[in-house]
Amino acid sequence: MRGFSDILPPASRRWGMLEERAREVLGGFGFSEIRVPILERAELFSRGIGEETDIVEKEMYTFEDRSGDCITMRPEATASMVRAYIEHKLYAADPLVKLYSIGPMFRHERPQKGRHRQFHQVNVEVFGVSQPMIDAEIMAILMHYLSLVGAAGCRLQVNSLGCPNCRLPYKEILRAFLKNHLPRLCEDCRRRMERNPLRAFDCKVPGCREIMSEAPLISAYLCAPCAEHFAAVRSYLETLEIAYEVNPRMVRGLDYYTKTAFEVVAGELGAQNAVAAGGRYDQLVAALGGPDIPGIGFAIGMERLLLILPDEPLSSGPSLFIAALGEGPRREAFSLSYKLNRAGVRTLIDYEGRGLKAQMRRADKFGARYALILGEEEQRTGQAILRDMKEKKQEEIPLSSIFEEIIRRVKGRSP
Ligand code: ATP
Ligand code: MG
């Protein structure tokens, strides 16, 4: 199906590596993993993300299941994580809860580079902290992860979207501006103008972009607490020595954000240039039926992250190939290979009983770093030959302690 991909080896190893690093980094900062279902009631997203957003208006996979319930394949994870936080009263002991989740999201979009219908995110959320320190910390964690995995050319952009107090009057002003440019706006922007004029900043139609480059900006209309919060976030970013840019036109595609919003963009990605994005959502927990607890989080788009990683050669070949000739040695190779694999030495044998030359060709083909030769001759002399395929050297090792000798030489060496 278009927009749905298989992740094949050896690329799947890089996926595994990225997920492992995310677990390490997040675990180190005190986050715990949460796994939420892929399906949720459709209304969770329409209420959470907002009716007049691209996601809810055009992108959700929503269907009626066999019991007539209206179900959606999650297009993002924050709403589900908030639902779980409320449903399981995770705030009961203390509202401060740090969670992360890794998994697929589904949006019916036009597939292209960096845009898929099933894509994958690492999602990170902190509940229960309204202080701006956490905003800066969470961005710092994101930037740390991106640099740790080797993502190149990442720039952090931040903005403040204000709160209902300052956003409502600002929306009026923006609406008035949009009305003046009505004939040149796309259909979506016109339709959303009444209830959600901010959406126009996120519109990708060139004509709308041009108009929006002249639009009044929320930064000039922030209320005192929002302006103070934003200034503090920036100063804490500076304390942590995190480079950032203020992008006053960044609004994000989801309605739940309040105050801080941020994106990490990478020039290399072209039109789909956001690798990760997030923000504060101080009203979302309450809006979804929970207590009045603030939250902040971000999502990293793994497909886009992969696009900006350097292509390092990924080898998944065995460390050791055992070439064996004759029934006795083949049985010996079979058992030794099992024990070595169990001990963490990636070992491959030839199952087909080919000749020595053919077996060595296979060792080459699979890119094995070492080849062990076990033949009738070796059995007689009690010595096997271990060949270093890279250095083109070989040595004899005694069969009596072959397992230990191989472990000593091969384990931990890259192929
Ligand atoms: P865009 O503006 O590119 O559509 P978005 O604002 O819809 O992105 P978010 O909902 O904030 O994106 O999702 C966070 C991250 O998830 C994005 O920064 C991106 O890396 C990734 N992402 C979003 N949609 C897709 C998609 N269809 N395919 C691949 N990655 C995606
Ligand atoms: Mg989108």
Side-chain angles (χ1 to χ4, degrees):
M1 295 195 297
R2 278 185 76 212
F4 292 77
S5 307
D6 296 306
I7 298 167
L8 302 173
S12 52
R13 283 189 58 199
R14 184 164 281 151
W15 279 84
M17 182 274 283
L18 289 177
E19 291 170 0
E20 244 168 69
R21 288 293 103 76
R23 290 174 199 284
E24 280 164 22
V25 168
L26 293 166
F29 279 93
F31 287 78
S32 308
E33 183 175 7
I34 178 171
R35 300 189 185 204
V36 288
I38 282 170
L39 301 184
E40 295 273 359
R41 290 184 196 288
E43 69 197 35
L44 173 69
F45 301 109
S46 46
R47 280 168 57 205
I49 300 169
E51 294 281 1
E52 294 189 346
T53 57
D54 278 350
I55 296 179
V56 173
E57 277 185 346
K58 345 182 207 187
E59 297 173 357
M60 294 204 308
Y61 280 91
T62 296
F63 58 92
E64 207 175 87
D65 74 2
R66 286 171 191 274
S67 13
D69 291 327
C70 191
I71 302 293
T72 295
M73 295 173 72
R74 62 177 187 193
E76 59 111 47
T78 303
S80 308
M81 283 159 88
V82 170
R83 180 202 47 72
Y85 180 77
I86 299 168
E87 190 172 322
H88 304 286
K89 298 197 168 57
L90 299 184
Y91 48 82
D94 192 295
L96 170 56
V97 176
K98 298 177 172 186
L99 299 173
Y100 73 89
S101 192
I102 302 178
M105 306 294 152
F106 303 85
R107 296 185 194 176
H108 194 276
E109 299 195 73
R110 192 169 70 77
Q112 53 197 289
K113 184 181 168 204
R115 198 175 287 291
H116 310 262
R117 289 179 173 174
Q118 175 174 337
F119 60 98
H120 300 78
Q121 290 183 339
V122 169
N123 278 269
V124 176
E125 318 287 346
V126 178
F127 295 96
V129 184
S130 58
Q131 292 305 310
M133 253 181 204
I134 198 77
D135 306 36
E137 186 172 79
I138 213 162
M139 288 185 248
I141 294 170
L142 170 59
M143 297 315 281
H144 167 60
Y145 172 73
L146 293 174
S147 89
L148 187 78
V149 298
C154 287
R155 287 166 21 232
L156 173 65
Q157 302 196 333
V158 298
N159 193 18
S160 176
L161 301 178
C163 64
N165 277 343
C166 42
R167 199 145 68 194
L168 271 150
Y170 167 69
K171 275 185 179 175
E172 273 310 320
I173 292 159
L174 186 59
R175 206 174 282 127
F177 168 84
L178 291 173
K179 276 194 179 132
N180 283 336
H181 295 85
L182 204 58
R184 286 168 57 213
L185 287 176
C186 77
E187 213 174 293
D188 277 345
C189 287
R190 268 190 244 173
R191 181 168 37 81
R192 294 165 175 175
M193 190 182 71
E194 279 311 320
R195 281 176 53 192
N196 203 345
L198 262 80
R199 275 283 71 74
F201 280 109
D202 214 29
C203 182
K204 275 144 193 148
V205 175
C208 298
R209 294 200 115 163
E210 205 186 307
I211 295 168
M212 296 316 287
S213 67
E214 317 250 282
L217 300 172
I218 186 148
S219 47
Y221 300 90
L222 291 178
C223 63
C226 285
E228 257 165 52
H229 185 97
F230 192 33
V233 170
R234 286 175 300 173
S235 94
Y236 286 131
L237 280 172
E238 281 148 32
T239 302
L240 298 181
E241 296 175 28
I242 305 298
Y244 68 91
E245 303 155 18
V246 173
N247 177 353
R249 288 187 179 77
M250 185 231 301
V251 293
R252 312 287 312 108
L254 306 99
D255 279 355
Y256 51 62
Y257 288 124
T258 49
K259 295 184 176 161
T260 312
F262 56 96
E263 261 183 21
V264 176
V265 298
E268 284 179 45
L269 291 177
Q272 278 66 248
N273 71 348
V275 183
R280 181 170 271 289
Y281 44 87
D282 288 349
Q283 264 97 45
L284 185 60
V285 178
L288 292 177
D292 185 14
I293 293 175
I296 181 166
F298 63 79
I300 308 172
M302 301 309 273
E303 282 80 1
R304 292 190 198 173
L305 174 55
L306 279 157
L307 286 175
I308 58 166
L309 292 186
D311 311 306
E312 279 154 33
L314 286 170
S315 167
S316 54
S319 303
L320 178 71
F321 188 96
I322 309 179
L325 283 175
E327 180 48 33
R330 287 188 63 216
R331 190 174 289 274
E332 172 71 26
F334 176 56
S335 140
L336 182 61
S337 149
Y338 174 65
K339 287 179 191 150
L340 286 169
N341 275 307
R342 218 169 44 182
V345 176
R346 281 202 310 275
T347 306
L348 191 66
I349 55 170
D350 175 43
Y351 297 95
E352 310 296 340
R354 294 176 176 85
L356 184 61
K357 254 195 178 155
Q359 291 194 45
M360 293 310 285
R361 269 202 303 276
R362 290 180 75 71
D364 242 358
K365 180 171 160 190
F366 289 119
R369 171 66 198 268
Y370 294 91
L372 180 73
I373 299 161
L374 291 181
E376 309 279 7
E377 173 69 17
E378 283 75 14
Q379 279 225 312
R380 228 180 5 257
T381 58
Q383 301 279 326
I385 295 166
L386 182 67
R387 185 178 293 172
D388 186 327
M389 307 285 279
K390 200 155 129 193
E391 307 283 331
K392 308 244 181 290
K393 281 191 311 209
Q394 59 183 46
E395 61 178 317
E396 292 202 326
I397 48 178
L399 282 177
S400 53
S401 55
I402 194 148
F403 176 79
E404 293 76 14
E405 295 291 327
I406 289 177
I407 293 277
R408 203 159 60 75
R409 286 172 176 77
V410 177
K411 202 170 177 185
R413 291 256 187 113
S414 59

